[in-house]
Structures are given as C-alpha cells and as structure tokens.
C-alpha cells in the first residue's frame, strides 16, 4: 500500500497543473517551428533475437528542402557489442513526402516551472515537480510516403543444425519504403513579465524492409534463421523541445526514439535512443 501511495504522489507531483493561470496568447503557429534538425545520439541500444545486443552512438538528420520534400538520414556506430564479433554500424538515407496536411485544435501544455528534487517520498527517493497549464492550440499533422537506402552491419551468434554457436557478423543492404505521420505544435504565451512556450514534434512511421543483399562474414556456415529478404518496423520519435527558447546560453533539447520490428537474419528486434538537438533552422 505504501508503494501505491508513493506512486500516486510521484505522478501527481511530476505533472502538477497550475490552476487559474492568467496568460496572454502571443502566437499559435505550428509552422513557426524549425523545419530542419541535426540530432546527436550519445546513447542508444539495439537488440535482436539472434544474440545481437549493441550499444551505439551516432546521430540523425531531418531536413526540409521544401514544404513537400523532407530528407531523413541516420548514422550509428556500435561502441559495444554483446554477441557476435567484428565492428557494427547502421546507415540510412532517404526522404519523406508529406502529401496530406491537416490542422486540428487541441490542448497544448505550456511549462511554467520545473523544480528538481521538489519533494522527498522516502529515505533515498526524491521527485521533481513540473507545473504547467494548457492552451487550446493548433496541431499541424502531415502524412505521406517515405523511403530510402538501408545498410546495417552487426555481430550475431550463428547456430547451425547441431545447435553449435559461432560468433560472426552479418551485413544487410537494401531499401525501406513506408508511411510517416509528423505532428507538431507551437504556442507562445506571456505570463506576467515572462514568455512561456508550449511546443513539440512527433514522428510515427511504419516501414517495409526489402533487403536483397544479405551476407555473413563466415560464408561457409550456410543459411541462418530469418534469412528472408523482407522485414518491417514501427518507429516513434519525440522531439520534446524543438524550439530554442533562449537566445543565449545552454539549453537541452532532448529527442527520444523507439523502434520495434523484424529484420533479415537478426529477426525480431527493439531499438531505443536518447539524443540532443545540436542544430536547427
């Protein structure tokens, strides 16, 4: 019971609503957000069902050439591999065509204040507190096809018919084609003498992986399991603070990415990463 009450307190304190906030809405324009981002990923984890666990670092790019053409790409390098042998990396380069666009009115949370270690709930447990209010703002939803080149190399454990395991690596080379939804909002308010912002961007995508070239470093081993040329994935990226609020000084703009699916040789996999926007325009 104590643990349940602690959980309720943590949730209520972490998302504390600021009631009766008096504000002036200065701007409600999702297109005011930057259209291009470069994100560094200091930490990411990628694991497949064939004994493939990778800790990686790298980065992603989302670049708006025009309103109807966005470039997307990523480059990741495995700094630690559990399972298999040899180096590992992941490269993608492609594009997104938002052929459908719609604006909807929804609540946009505006952060008033975040207090670190606002309360103590146990001898060694502290929680933060975020106070916010909501503004009826405009969300811009864009949807359309996407696709590009796909290249991944990773270590994995090969099991033959006698269940003997050999540490080796594979390389998948092909393309991805799919569908993407991009949603974003931006509001600027004035509370007293201070400007307060509500902004965010999410990307959701569903892809088919078409991998005609699949190679194994030890080519005398035969065909591994899951060696078909097709796979799939579902991914989500949350660009938490896409708008730079401060004109000067350090400002952390985190980006969270998660993905699950199935890829040739690797089989079922899950991937997640934490990134930071280092440039936008």
């Amino acid at each position: 019971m104590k643990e349940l009450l602690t959980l309720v307190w943590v949730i209520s304190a972490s998302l504390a609503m600021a009631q009766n906030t008096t504000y002036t809405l200065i701007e409600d324009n999702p297109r005011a957000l930057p259209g291009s981002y470069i994100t560094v990923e200091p930490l990411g984890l990628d694991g497949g069902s064939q004994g493939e666990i990778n800790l990686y670092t790298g980065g992603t790019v989302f670049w708006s050439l025009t309103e109807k053409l966005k470039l997307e790409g990523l480059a990741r390098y495995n700094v630690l591999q559990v399972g298999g042998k040899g180096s590992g990396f992941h490269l993608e380069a492609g594009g997104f065509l938002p052929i459908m666009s719609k604006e909807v009115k929804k609540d946009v949370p505006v952060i008033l204040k975040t207090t670190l270690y606002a309360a103590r709930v146990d001898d060694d447990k502290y929680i933060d507190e975020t106070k916010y209010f909501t503004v009826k703002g405009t969300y811009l939803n864009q949807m359309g096809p996407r696709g590009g080149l796909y290249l991944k190399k990773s270590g994995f454990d090969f099991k033959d018919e006698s269940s003997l395991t050999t540490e080796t690596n594979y390389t998948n080379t092909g393309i991805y084609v799919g569908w993407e939804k991009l949603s974003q909002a931006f509001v600027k308010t004035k509370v007293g003498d201070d400007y307060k912002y509500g902004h965010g961007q999410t990307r959701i995508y569903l892809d088919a992986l078409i991998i005609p070239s699949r190679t194994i470093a030890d080519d005398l081993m035969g065909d591994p399991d899951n060696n078909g040329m097709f796979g799939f994935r579902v991914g989500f990226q949350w660009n938490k603070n896409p708008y730079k609020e401060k004109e000067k000084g350090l400002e952390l703009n985190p980006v969270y990415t998660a993905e699950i699916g199935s890829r040739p040789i690797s089989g079922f996999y899950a991937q997640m990463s934490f990134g930071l926007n280092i440039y936008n325009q």
Side-chain angles (χ1 to χ4, degrees), residues 229-272:
M229 67 179 291
F230 298 105
F232 74 93
R233 64 181 177 185
V234 179
F236 172 82
Q237 186 178 78
W238 178 28
N239 191 342
K240 186 178 179 182
N241 298 317
Y243 181 80
K244 186 174 176 61
E245 298 180 10
K246 299 179 181 178
E247 294 184 3
K248 297 181 181 180
L250 177 65
E251 183 179 9
L252 296 180
N253 297 308
V255 179
Y256 304 96
T257 304
E259 184 178 294
I260 60 171
S262 179
R263 56 194 174 211
I265 301 179
S266 176
F268 174 81
Y269 75 94
Q271 174 267 324
M272 64 186 66

Side-chain angles (χ1 to χ4, degrees), residues 90-102:
H90 185 181
L91 301 174
E92 292 185 20
F96 165 49
L97 300 174
I99 58 176
M100 293 187 291
S101 180
K102 183 179 180 180

Side-chain angles (χ1 to χ4, degrees), residues 49-280:
S49 60
Q50 298 299 313
E52 171 191 358
I53 302 176
N54 303 315
L55 186 67
Y56 66 81
T57 185
T60 66
V61 175
F62 183 85
W63 205 265
S64 296
L65 289 182
T66 68
E67 182 70 18
K68 295 298 183 181
L69 177 59
K70 321 290 184 182
L71 299 183
E72 302 174 325
L74 62 84
R76 293 165 175 162
Y77 180 78
N78 295 345
V79 294
L80 177 64
Q81 293 185 160
V82 180
K85 65 179 182 180
S87 63
F89 59 86
H90 185 181
L91 301 174
E92 292 185 20
F96 165 49
L97 300 174
I99 58 176
M100 293 187 291
S101 180
K102 183 179 180 180
E103 294 185 354
V104 295
K105 287 287 187 179
K106 293 173 60 178
D107 287 339
V108 179
V110 178
I111 303 298
L112 276 177
K113 181 182 180 182
T114 298
T115 304
L116 301 179
Y117 305 105
R120 183 174 180 175
V121 297
D122 210 333
D123 291 340
D124 57 351
K125 294 180 181 179
Y126 293 83
I127 59 173
D128 304 334
E129 182 181 69
T130 298
K131 294 183 178 180
Y132 72 97
F133 62 97
T134 59
V135 175
K136 189 67 71 174
T138 304
Y139 280 79
L140 173 64
N141 297 323
Q142 296 177 299
M143 293 180 288
R146 71 183 221 132
L149 303 177
Y150 181 96
L151 173 62
K152 182 173 178 63
K153 179 182 178 182
S154 176
F156 84 112
D157 293 334
F158 181 90
K159 292 184 179 181
D160 61 18
E161 295 179 355
S162 61
S163 297
L164 179 66
T165 299
T166 302
E167 293 186 343
T168 183
N169 64 78
Y170 71 86
T171 302
N172 283 340
T173 306
I175 63 172
Y176 67 90
V177 291
W179 191 262
E180 181 171 333
K181 177 183 178 181
L182 184 150
S183 181
Q184 61 187 42
F186 172 82
V187 295
K188 179 180 180 180
T189 68
K190 191 170 185 180
V191 181
D193 295 328
D194 298 324
Y195 291 108
K196 300 295 181 180
Y197 300 85
H199 50 99
Q201 182 192 76
T202 59
R203 295 167 56 207
I204 302 173
Y205 53 88
L206 171 63
D207 293 331
L209 303 178
I210 306 172
I211 313 295
S213 176
R214 305 171 304 283
T215 60
I216 300 175
D218 303 276
D219 55 4
L220 298 179
M221 292 183 177
D223 290 333
D225 295 334
N226 307 305
N227 197 29
M229 67 179 291
F230 298 105
F232 74 93
R233 64 181 177 185
V234 179
F236 172 82
Q237 186 178 78
W238 178 28
N239 191 342
K240 186 178 179 182
N241 298 317
Y243 181 80
K244 186 174 176 61
E245 298 180 10
K246 299 179 181 178
E247 294 184 3
K248 297 181 181 180
L250 177 65
E251 183 179 9
L252 296 180
N253 297 308
V255 179
Y256 304 96
T257 304
E259 184 178 294
I260 60 171
S262 179
R263 56 194 174 211
I265 301 179
S266 176
F268 174 81
Y269 75 94
Q271 174 267 324
M272 64 186 66
S273 70
F274 167 74
L276 293 170
N277 272 334
I278 60 171
Y279 178 82
N280 61 46

